[in-house]
Amino acid sequence: MSGKLIPLVPTVTGRLLTVGLVISWYASNIGVLLLNKYLLSNYGFKYPIFLTMCHMMASSLLSYVAIAWLKLVPMQAVRSRLQLVKIATLSLVFCGSVVSGNISLRFLPVSFNQAVGATTPFFTAVFSYIMTVRREAWITYVTLIPVVTGVIIASGKGIIAHLVKLGDEGEPSFHLFGFIMCIGATAARALKSVVQGILLSSEGEKLNSMNLLLYMAPIAVVFLLPATLFMEENVVGMTLALAREDIKIIWYLLFNASLAYFVNLTNFLVTKHTSALTLQVLGNAKGAVAVVVSILIFRNPVSVTGMLGYSLTVIGVILYSEAKKRNK
């Protein structure tokens, strides 16, 4: 009896580790999303570029600790000036996606933000076709119809209300500028994945996600610092003034920045212990969980039409993932 149980111990331990990593990835992902929303919208910390820069500074420091000190992965060197330029290009696109996403959280509820964010596969397919002229199977493009239709259903009433100035008769909590920023963030996120595939496709230039973040994060800080100083004037002074009134803002920022790095770390570890496809499927479910949790916490109004649209988008993303898997 004991002889049969001994071989199962490593398997059980491995499964528990995987489950623990998935839970940690979910918690950190949803946690940083909700904390961003709380800081930028509810708390009144109206500095999304500075907040993104804090994330990148924490990622720079903690990436170095994880790779150079903890040896979680081997250190990979940048092999040429051209490769560094490619990484800088990725970093610029990445900055655009994160900053736009944080700006959108100031104006939109998390539920609507997640609905728009779920259209990433649509933008990925478009950019992939434009930049690589690579066509997918026709069924893959068909699955994108419910992805886009869902967001149109969820946001269409709000857009029309803005155009004809119906005011409060539109979709609850709809904000046109926030919607544009959210679309921009989603498009930039898709563009990054396509550009990354093009720029770092050769064997000599491939970097794992943790090493890529190690080099991208400090470059992002260089991009974000002048943008912060120019567009969010006296942000440090305002933050210190807020801290004198409520010291918790400092702890919020430190925890938020550390959690943002933890999202990338758990993302890498979950992919390593499962697969990229599993991560994609888990990501689809994560969006739905984030929506439910945000509604419970922030009590933001959600219409039946909005939930119907979001549900249709999630179904479309699941069908898209399945179509991609079958055509590989």
Side-chain angles (χ1 to χ4, degrees):
M1 185 75 174
S2 59
K4 292 182 180 179
L5 289 175
I6 291 173
L8 292 176
V9 173
T11 304
V12 172
T13 304
R15 286 178 180 172
L16 288 175
L17 175 63
T18 302
V19 170
L21 288 172
V22 170
I23 292 173
S24 299
W25 181 67
Y26 261 57
S28 58
N29 253 285
I30 296 172
V32 78
L33 179 68
L34 298 180
L35 191 50
N36 283 349
K37 174 64 179 176
Y38 174 74
L39 286 171
L40 295 168
S41 182
N42 296 60
Y43 190 86
F45 186 80
K46 300 177 180 179
Y47 307 106
I49 303 176
F50 179 73
L51 183 64
T52 306
M53 190 175 75
C54 290
H55 290 179
M56 294 300 101
M57 289 171 67
S59 293
S60 300
L61 175 63
L62 296 175
S63 291
Y64 185 80
V65 170
I67 297 172
W69 292 0
L70 300 180
K71 309 288 185 185
L72 292 183
V73 294
M75 176 77 77
Q76 294 175 289
V78 175
R79 303 192 176 200
S80 66
R81 184 176 298 178
L82 179 60
Q83 187 183 16
L84 183 61
V85 170
K86 292 177 178 181
I87 293 171
T89 303
L90 276 175
S91 185
L92 184 60
V93 177
F94 181 62
C95 284
S97 69
V98 178
V99 170
S100 299
N102 284 340
I103 291 173
S104 73
L105 283 171
R106 276 192 60 192
F107 304 102
L108 298 177
V110 173
S111 53
F112 192 77
N113 182 281
Q114 289 292 289
V116 176
T119 61
T120 301
F122 168 76
F123 289 102
T124 302
V126 171
F127 287 130
S128 182
Y129 180 76
I130 292 172
M131 300 174 73
T132 66
V133 200
R134 193 183 77 183
R135 294 187 178 183
E136 301 285 353
W138 67 270
I139 190 66
T140 305
Y141 291 116
V142 170
T143 61
L144 292 174
I145 294 173
V147 172
V148 178
T149 304
V151 172
I152 292 173
I153 290 172
S155 59
K157 190 177 176 183
I159 293 173
I160 293 169
H162 262 80
L163 292 176
V164 299
K165 298 182 179 179
L166 293 178
D168 294 334
E169 294 178 25
E171 190 69 15
S173 301
F174 181 86
H175 192 284
L176 187 60
F177 178 68
F179 175 69
I180 293 170
M181 286 292 101
C182 198
I183 287 287
T186 305
R189 192 159 52 244
L191 180 61
K192 175 187 170 288
S193 66
V194 175
V195 171
Q196 183 173 329
I198 296 171
L199 296 185
L200 300 175
S201 57
S202 67
E203 285 299 323
E205 292 185 336
K206 280 186 178 178
L207 296 170
N208 63 52
S209 59
M210 289 188 71
N211 273 275
L212 183 59
L213 183 64
L214 173 67
Y215 295 115
M216 281 177 56
I219 295 173
V221 174
V222 173
F223 287 138
L224 292 167
L225 181 58
T228 301
L229 295 175
F230 179 72
M231 300 177 69
E232 298 178 341
E233 191 176 353
N234 197 30
V235 62
V236 176
M238 294 298 293
T239 303
L240 292 175
L242 279 172
R244 282 192 287 270
E245 295 178 13
D246 184 5
I247 193 63
K248 286 188 291 186
I249 184 62
I250 301 298
W251 296 110
Y252 283 146
L253 290 174
L254 288 173
F255 179 67
N256 183 252
S258 301
L259 200 59
Y261 170 73
F262 199 63
V263 169
N264 291 284
L265 176 62
T266 52
N267 185 299
F268 171 80
L269 293 174
V270 169
T271 305
K272 182 180 177 181
H273 285 80
T274 56
S275 67
L277 184 62
T278 300
L279 188 77
Q280 191 176 32
V281 173
L282 291 170
N284 297 338
K286 173 187 68 68
V289 174
V291 168
V292 173
V293 174
S294 70
I295 292 171
L296 293 174
I297 292 176
F298 296 113
R299 308 285 182 181
N300 52 274
V302 179
S303 67
V304 174
T305 305
M307 286 307 297
L308 177 64
Y310 178 70
S311 300
L312 184 59
T313 296
V314 171
I315 292 169
V317 171
I318 294 170
L319 293 174
Y320 172 84
S321 301
E322 189 64 25
K324 289 276 286 184
K325 182 176 71 173
R326 292 189 176 186
N327 285 289
K328 277 188 177 181

